[in-house]
Amino acid sequence: MLQTAVMFVKRAIQKPDAFDEENMITTENSLGALAKLCYAHMDGSVLSEGDLISVLHRMPFTSDENESMTSHRILFDQIENPASVINTNAGAKQAAFEAVQRIKQHVIEQGPQPEERILDFANLQRLDNLKC
Amino acid sequence: MVAQLAGKFMEISQSKHAEDQNVAHTVSYGLGEFGYLLPK
């Protein structure tokens, strides 16, 4: 079952036109799904550290407010969880910290009243207290 | 029930329905959420 789910989301991400503007919502939902599957089920086979790092390199997500807020909140949860794959894989940890820096930069550039939010209010406050 | 819903999402992901962009991103979102919440 995990393999089929991973194949489905990877297929969406690997399409030649995946990062064209009209496909970004599907692509970012698929990237978010791949990250969530990695956090919970990374096994080094179906889901590898490389899969997680490749998703983290694509953050922040900005196309779908719901996916952006959810994916970034869960990333923060993972960073604060000592047992998370984020904290037990050096490469993933580095990529996660870099993702947080890009999220911070994006929030600054968006200003106080953005059209599309990438963090809800609680996680905007949390962003400043993350130890990255 | 969550497992049943996850199973349905998997079924949809392998069907023609998933070729539609709205369905594809909904299924991707759902698979991520279910995958994150379901135990290994």
Side-chain angles (χ1 to χ4, degrees):
Chain A
M1 196 171 190
L2 176 64
Q3 194 160 20
T4 311
V6 172
M7 276 173 54
F8 179 78
V9 295
K10 282 189 176 177
R11 199 170 59 211
I13 295 163
Q14 290 166 351
K15 283 183 178 172
D17 56 354
F19 292 91
D20 289 357
E21 194 177 346
E22 65 269 23
N23 296 325
M24 281 305 290
I25 292 177
T26 299
T27 302
E28 288 192 350
N29 274 280
S30 301
L31 286 165
L34 190 56
K36 290 167 207 155
L37 291 169
C38 284
Y39 298 146
H41 303 284
M42 201 161 84
D43 58 0
S45 170
V46 177
L47 286 167
S48 68
E49 184 182 359
D51 290 321
L52 179 55
I53 290 171
S54 69
V55 174
L56 294 170
H57 281 163
R58 292 282 180 185
M59 287 185 179
F61 300 154
T62 58
S63 299
D64 177 347
E65 197 169 71
N66 191 36
E67 179 62 59
S68 303
M69 290 198 289
T70 303
S71 282
H72 299 149
R73 171 181 53 79
I74 293 175
L75 171 64
F76 297 173
D77 291 345
Q78 295 296 313
I79 288 170
E80 289 179 343
N81 176 3
S84 163
V85 291
I86 290 282
N87 289 311
T88 54
N89 292 270
K93 189 171 188 172
Q94 179 64 29
F97 285 6
E98 289 169 6
V100 170
Q101 295 310 316
R102 289 193 301 276
I103 290 168
K104 279 184 184 174
Q105 187 60 38
H106 187 85
V107 167
I108 290 167
E109 287 169 5
Q110 275 191 312
Q113 292 188 325
E115 273 184 39
E116 290 270 341
R117 294 190 179 279
I118 66 166
L119 289 171
D120 59 23
F121 183 69
N123 284 288
L124 264 177
Q125 292 188 314
R126 196 176 172 197
L127 182 61
D128 290 328
N129 298 321
L130 278 177
K131 293 190 174 80
C132 292
Chain B
M1 186 181 172
V2 174
Q4 275 182 310
L5 281 169
K8 182 55 72 177
F9 268 74
M10 295 300 297
E11 192 183 311
I12 294 168
S13 78
Q14 294 170 81
S15 75
K16 282 269 180 193
H17 286 297
E19 290 173 12
D20 179 274
Q21 284 286 307
N22 287 329
V23 175
H25 86 243
T26 303
V27 169
S28 286
Y29 184 80
L31 286 177
E33 289 297 306
F34 289 129
Y36 185 61
L37 296 171
L38 286 171
K40 277 190 182 181

